[in-house]
Amino acid sequence: MKLTTEQIAQFDREGYLFFPSLFSAAEMKPLLDEVPQLYAQHRPENVREKGSDAVRTNFAAHLYSYPFAKLARHPRMVEPVVALFGEPVYMHQFKINGKMAFDGDVWQWHQDYGTWKNDDLMPEPRAMNVAIFLDEVNEFNGPLMFIPGSHKLGVISAEHDLTTTSYPLWTINHDTIARLVERGGIVAPKGPAGSLIMFHSCLVHASASNLSPWNRINVYLSLCAVSNHIRRFKRPEYIAHRDFAPIECLPDDCLLKHYDVPLPWKDGTPEEALKPLVAA
Amino acid sequence: MKLTTEQIAQFDREGYLFFPSLFSAAEMKPLLDEVPQLYAQHRPENVREKGSDAVRTNFAAHLYSYPFAKLARHPRMVEPVVALFGEPVYMHQFKINGKMAFDGDVWQWHQDYGTWKNDDLMPEPRAMNVAIFLDEVNEFNGPLMFIPGSHKLGVISAEHDLTTTSYPLWTINHDTIARLVERGGIVAPKGPAGSLIMFHSCLVHASASNLSPWNRINVYLSLCAVSNHIRRFKRPEYIAHRDFAPIECLPDDCLLKHYDVPLPWKDGTPEEALKPLVAA
């Protein structure tokens, strides 16, 4: 997959690109089928919703789950990002966000790069967010909402919200959001399983609760330019990875055929990956 | 306004009718302008959101606010309901639901008639819900969601949810909702301020949180057939009214011109309207 000149201009202008059905239903099925047993595990990588057993997010499955390890190396996802950054990328973060039927809670308005800069000392916003739909996303199951153009403002000041949901987040205040929306509006790309959104790490985004009977499971990952790797290991490694080796892509049919991939955390997460390790 | 044969058939089949822009922007403006001072009052009729000062719902404004007293007697709203029930109606409940920007919380899946039957001993589901949009309703500010056809099941068993939000509600379990949605889908009518939805008191509905910077203030009222009046006064009168006098409509231009209307609670809610009064 190569981005066109118009797509590159659109990404620069709006901060995101949407590719409906970039993957087929057959490619998504083994991933979706794997989720229940991942979510059933009681390991630190599963963060559950406040007041419910539903998983809000699962971290680092690409290190212990075979189908997700292949997805993490998919050329249709990785190559356009490498082309945009003009250098190889590594996996900074890998999540499977649940937003489960009935229980999926909100994510307040935020930018991802704010956290990476403040907590991880990532030098520049040269890490790309990618959302891959394992389920159909519709208006009722809590689609990602973006404020187009908001990435142009760089890092916006934010407050650490430790109470609204089960996952701490640097969230942006209401007056700022109102001003940004007045200028850029809100968009919420919707589409079948296999659709993909690429979005700038400074793009302001949120998602509503899911009251519908339809799960909205997204793989949500961040590909960071290798030269832009994080400088501080304040967060556990399963949240902010410390292996900066460039991703080596598998062939385009990797979700449908067998390929050998390493699964280093298959037998459990190493003790040192569960702890902060603040650099000297 | 007279309903057509097709509209009556559609109401019977789907349980709701949507009238985009039934009222003009000019007709809605005095109502919307009145809301801030109503919400600012600290009186029992204002129920606030959990953990916020935003008003979730205001009760009985038609008894102490001039523009809302006129709306409560509007022929464009009242006459089709009288025609459908074949008898006069009285105001069973009158609310201004906030669903305010950023703070508006969810309403879980429920039927209204369940509460009226259980708490108020209303004999039959012969009370019509009406939602009137004071703000534009879009996909981002928590539109009402309906499961078409779900009214055909009558009263569905429900559990009293006292914890999720600040307002207690008889909510329907997830398995039942999933089955109903599989059959009927979900719809969420959207449109400009002045739009109106009529829906059956057994129609299952819900609404998501409002993370957008746009308020979604709805007038939400229930017109009950006079012969079907409630039999028990277990809830305070400002929530479930005890005056069964038929609504006498004002002329069609009543929102734009002056008409005299009674405002019996203008100087405060009478003590006896704040208390339950269980009939012998």
Side-chain angles (χ1 to χ4, degrees), chain A residues 5 93-94 113 135 152 235 244 248 252-253 259:
Chain A
T5 313
Q93 191 169 76
F94 189 102
Y113 179 62
D135 290 301
K152 293 282 190 187
R235 300 196 295 168
F244 310 138
E248 289 180 40
D252 192 77
D253 62 0
Y259 290 91

Side-chain angles (χ1 to χ4, degrees), chain B residues 164-187:
Chain B
T164 309
T165 71
S166 62
Y167 188 75
L169 202 65
W170 289 89
T171 61
I172 299 169
N173 76 52
H174 295 173
D175 289 349
T176 305
I177 296 299
R179 278 200 309 276
L180 291 172
V181 170
E182 197 162 343
R183 216 186 51 166
I186 304 178
V187 295

Side-chain angles (χ1 to χ4, degrees), chain A residues 102 109 139 174 190 209 211, chain B residues 109 139 174 190 207 209 211:
Chain A
F102 301 111
W109 293 104
E139 68 179 285
H174 296 172
K190 300 162 203 82
S209 49
L211 291 185
Chain B
W109 294 104
E139 69 179 286
H174 295 173
K190 300 163 203 81
S207 65
S209 49
L211 290 185

Side-chain angles (χ1 to χ4, degrees), chain A:
Chain A
M1 189 172 96
K2 268 182 83 84
L3 299 181
T4 65
T5 313
E6 168 46 30
Q7 284 174 320
I8 294 168
Q10 189 185 338
F11 179 80
D12 178 61
R13 195 171 60 242
E14 302 189 348
Y16 76 100
L17 289 172
F18 181 46
F19 304 92
S21 300
L22 185 68
F23 298 99
S24 70
E27 287 178 309
M28 290 297 100
K29 190 173 184 307
L31 297 163
L32 192 59
D33 288 349
E34 175 85 348
V35 172
Q37 69 92 350
L38 283 174
Y39 279 5
Q41 293 178 35
H42 282 268
R43 52 191 301 165
E45 287 94 335
N46 278 333
V47 176
R48 289 169 201 279
E49 297 282 10
K50 219 170 171 172
S52 132
D53 206 42
V55 170
R56 177 170 178 77
T57 189
N58 161 283
F59 284 99
H62 67 304
L63 298 180
Y64 50 90
S65 157
Y66 170 70
F68 287 100
K70 294 197 295 181
L71 181 67
R73 293 165 172 82
H74 204 291
R76 248 177 275 162
M77 166 183 83
V78 175
E79 283 173 3
V81 181
V82 169
L84 264 174
F85 287 150
E87 64 167 304
V89 294
Y90 77 94
M91 188 66 69
H92 169 58
Q93 191 169 76
F94 189 102
K95 295 192 288 185
I96 308 172
N97 280 355
K99 186 78 75 176
M100 301 303 276
F102 301 111
D103 288 317
D105 203 353
V106 304
W107 290 84
Q108 301 281 355
W109 293 104
H110 69 285
Q111 299 173 305
D112 289 349
Y113 179 62
T115 302
W116 304 341
K117 180 187 164 86
N118 292 325
D119 286 351
D120 306 331
L121 297 184
M122 184 189 285
E124 300 290 332
R126 285 168 47 80
M128 180 70 83
N129 280 320
V130 176
I132 300 168
F133 302 180
L134 299 193
D135 290 301
E136 182 199 63
V137 174
N138 59 44
E139 68 179 285
F140 302 114
N141 61 0
L144 272 164
M145 304 188 287
F146 302 105
I147 305 176
S150 56
H151 64 301
K152 293 282 190 187
L153 280 82
V155 177
I156 298 167
S157 71
E159 285 147 46
H160 212 188
D161 176 5
L162 300 165
T163 58
T164 310
T165 70
S166 63
Y167 188 74
L169 202 65
W170 289 89
T171 62
I172 299 170
N173 74 53
H174 296 172
D175 289 348
T176 305
I177 295 301
R179 278 200 309 277
L180 292 172
V181 169
E182 197 161 343
R183 217 187 49 167
I186 304 178
V187 294
K190 300 162 203 82
S195 301
L196 180 149
I197 310 171
M198 262 181 209
F199 62 101
H200 195 283
S201 58
C202 288
L203 194 68
V204 177
H205 59 288
S207 64
S209 49
N210 180 7
L211 291 185
S212 85
W214 302 302
N215 293 336
R216 196 226 69 179
I217 302 175
N218 267 3
V219 180
Y220 191 105
L221 53 83
S222 311
L223 301 171
C224 185
V226 167
S227 70
N228 191 49
H229 67 80
I230 65 173
R231 296 332 197 219
R232 182 165 64 182
F233 302 159
K234 188 178 161 183
R235 300 196 295 168
E237 186 174 357
Y238 70 88
I239 296 178
H241 292 291
R242 303 166 192 168
D243 174 0
F244 310 138
I247 296 172
E248 289 180 40
C249 288
L250 293 171
D252 192 77
D253 62 0
C254 64
L255 295 174
L256 300 171
K257 289 193 187 160
H258 176 76
Y259 290 91
D260 284 323
V261 281
L263 295 172
W265 296 4
K266 192 164 180 288
D267 298 319
T269 312
E271 197 59 35
E272 66 273 17
L274 297 175
K275 291 180 303 194
L277 173 71
V278 178

Side-chain angles (χ1 to χ4, degrees), chain B residues 48-263:
Chain B
R48 290 169 200 280
E49 297 281 10
K50 217 170 174 171
S52 134
D53 206 43
V55 170
R56 177 169 178 79
T57 190
N58 161 282
F59 283 99
H62 67 305
L63 297 181
Y64 50 90
S65 157
Y66 170 69
F68 287 101
K70 293 197 296 181
L71 181 67
R73 294 164 171 82
H74 204 291
R76 247 175 277 161
M77 167 182 83
V78 176
E79 284 173 2
V81 181
V82 169
L84 263 175
F85 288 149
E87 65 167 303
V89 295
Y90 77 95
M91 187 67 68
H92 169 59
Q93 191 170 76
F94 189 102
K95 296 192 287 181
I96 309 172
N97 280 355
K99 187 77 76 176
M100 301 304 275
F102 300 113
D103 288 318
D105 205 353
V106 304
W107 291 84
Q108 302 281 355
W109 294 104
H110 69 285
Q111 297 173 306
D112 289 349
Y113 179 62
T115 302
W116 305 339
K117 180 186 164 84
N118 293 325
D119 286 351
D120 306 331
L121 296 185
M122 183 188 284
E124 299 291 332
R126 284 168 46 81
M128 179 71 82
N129 281 320
V130 176
I132 299 168
F133 302 1
L134 298 192
D135 291 301
E136 182 199 65
V137 174
N138 59 43
E139 69 179 286
F140 302 115
N141 61 0
L144 273 165
M145 304 188 287
F146 301 106
I147 306 177
S150 56
H151 64 301
K152 294 282 190 187
L153 281 81
V155 178
I156 298 167
S157 71
E159 286 149 46
H160 211 188
D161 176 4
L162 299 164
T163 59
T164 309
T165 71
S166 62
Y167 188 75
L169 202 65
W170 289 89
T171 61
I172 299 169
N173 76 52
H174 295 173
D175 289 349
T176 305
I177 296 299
R179 278 200 309 276
L180 291 172
V181 170
E182 197 162 343
R183 216 186 51 166
I186 304 178
V187 295
K190 300 163 203 81
S195 302
L196 180 149
I197 311 171
M198 259 180 211
F199 62 101
H200 194 284
S201 59
C202 289
L203 194 67
V204 177
H205 59 289
S207 65
S209 49
N210 180 6
L211 290 185
S212 86
W214 303 301
N215 292 337
R216 195 226 71 180
I217 303 176
N218 267 2
V219 180
Y220 190 106
L221 53 85
S222 310
L223 301 172
C224 186
V226 167
S227 69
N228 192 50
H229 68 80
I230 65 173
R231 297 331 198 219
R232 182 165 64 182
F233 302 159
K234 187 178 160 184
R235 300 195 295 169
E237 186 174 358
Y238 70 88
I239 296 178
H241 292 292
R242 303 166 192 168
D243 174 0
F244 310 138
I247 296 172
E248 289 180 41
C249 288
L250 293 171
D252 192 77
D253 62 0
C254 64
L255 295 174
L256 300 171
K257 290 194 187 159
H258 175 77
Y259 291 92
D260 283 322
V261 281
L263 295 172

